[in-house]
Amino acid sequence: MARAVTTRRKAVITACAWAVGLTIFFPILWTLLTSFKTEAEAIADPPSLFFFQWTTENYGEVLQRSNYFRHFANSVIISVGSTLLGLLIAIPTAWSMAFVPAKRNKDILMWMLSTKMLPPVGVLIPIYLIFRDFGLLDTRTGLVIVMTLINLPIIIWMLFTYFKEIPGEILEAARMDGATLWAEILYVLTPMAVPGIASTLLLNIILAWNEAFWTLNLTASKAAPLTAFIASYSSPEGLFYAKLSAASAMAIAPILIMGWFSQKQLVRGLTFGAVK
């Protein structure tokens, strides 16, 4: 029997949820507001939240100074490309771990996840030298490979969790009907796990889009994504907060819009299998 929830309890929970949400959103709001200020108003003390002289000159200067659309195209290619490549590798891997009994599956999964605990700077020099020797520095191909490798443990873990919720009897029935291994994965398993795969895809696009460490160290100009585009507004002369905020707003706007329109699918995928 469901436990009754009082109106007061609902109000408290709602207020707490709004407080947490606004706290998380406030840095984004502050960045957006600062992007419409002049440089003098951006560093004013005390700062003004809404009552200032609104201007769009920062966006004009950012577009005039930098090739925003080239950086945007690089971010799209790197984030989407690395995620799709990761899914091609992770789906068969997660299938084998979820449906092929083995004693060490959990140990292997934990080992994969442990690679995310290593500070990236610890492997920067060997990766940089490998990329230099193979001609992958400042290339989209190189960044797609790096993003795939650093996010692959998360992709496999998420897909393994979703695949474990699918009854094995369905796959056994497909085998009895003569389905080959790849037909089983492609035509039976994958369609049933679409919500989980979609949420994994969306989450890893966001992770790759926001990755800054590797993009700043392995690119110069040709393959630089939007994270490098933002960093270019930090100069020896100082920080131009208004222009930096405008560049940041232009960099996060596409991923915010994607997240807004795909939030239903993302939540559905993250709760996939939670209710029997």
Side-chain angles (χ1 to χ4, degrees), residues 215-248:
T215 58
L216 293 177
N217 285 286
L218 298 179
T219 63
S221 58
K222 292 189 297 183
L226 288 171
T227 46
F229 165 74
I230 296 173
S232 67
Y233 285 87
S234 175
S235 64
E237 292 80 13
L239 290 175
F240 297 93
Y241 289 102
K243 296 178 183 61
L244 180 62
S245 297
S248 300

Side-chain angles (χ1 to χ4, degrees), residues 143-184:
L143 286 179
V144 166
I145 294 173
V146 167
M147 296 300 174
T148 299
L149 293 177
I150 64 175
N151 289 329
L152 192 58
I154 297 177
I155 300 176
I156 293 175
W157 257 96
M158 292 183 68
L159 292 180
F160 171 79
T161 303
Y162 298 136
F163 289 173
K164 287 292 288 184
E165 299 295 333
I166 296 176
E169 292 79 6
I170 296 178
L171 300 183
E172 292 178 3
R175 294 171 198 157
M176 293 179 64
D177 289 338
T180 62
L181 174 62
W182 288 108
E184 176 186 330

